[in-house]
Amino acid sequence: FSAEQIAALNTGAIGGLTTAQIKLLDTDQIEAFTPAQVRALTAQQLAAIGPDGIATFSPADMAAISAKSIAGLSPDMIAALDGEQIAALDPKTIAGMTAAQAAALTPDQIGEFTPAQARALTATHLGAFSAESLAALSSESIAALSNQAIKGISTTAIAGLDGEVATLVESLSASQISALDAKQITALGAQGLRWFTPAQITAISPAGVKGLTADQIAELDSDQAAAFTPGQIKLFAANQI
């Protein structure tokens, strides 16, 4: 088949291709796929394209990948995508990614996420992010994360942010802060809590308050300390104050 012949195939014909047949296609033939043809590919067919094949996909092709077929992308295929291709993925397709696929995303790729794509990330996805991956999210993308997704951020990733923890804290809304649990609050360390606004301090949940360490509380200024509500203060243990 020439590239022109491939492009002329209807979606029914594309759907009938076996994985063995797809593996025989060269990159010029795969590059000829239209968005409509890409939309017709199953996860198994997409997997057969391989890293070299997926690298030829245009942004329009990437936007045509469905939430079901995205499961066919191996970590090597994910790694082969450039920033423009990543940015073209539909948010619903992002939501369909597995934890292994999320873990395969490079910091450069994550940096290309739009707020709409970040909003589609789940707790499972964020749980697979390393500190480097978490740090790669833009302020706008962090602000777009759902509260449920934030619950999935690992304490290892938070603790590994070091100086970049400021960007995370400054980008989180009071509502998002309220989603952090005790272990996540502890993982922020004294350096992280230092960046909390009074409104964010007030938003710390009862569970989060229990995660505050004495070192973290000692680093707070008078405005931050004054922001604790009577209900939060009642939760303080002797070793916190």
Side-chain angles (χ1 to χ4, degrees), residues 16-25 42-49:
L17 292 174
T18 66
T19 55
Q21 289 173 318
I22 291 177
K23 287 179 180 179
L24 293 175
L25 299 177
T42 66
Q44 292 76 20
Q45 288 175 312
L46 199 58
I49 286 174

Side-chain angles (χ1 to χ4, degrees), residues 125-149:
H125 297 145
L126 291 184
F129 275 21
S130 64
E132 292 76 14
S133 299
L134 189 59
L137 286 167
S138 68
S139 296
E140 294 77 13
S141 289
I142 292 171
L145 296 173
S146 71
N147 286 13
Q148 188 58 42

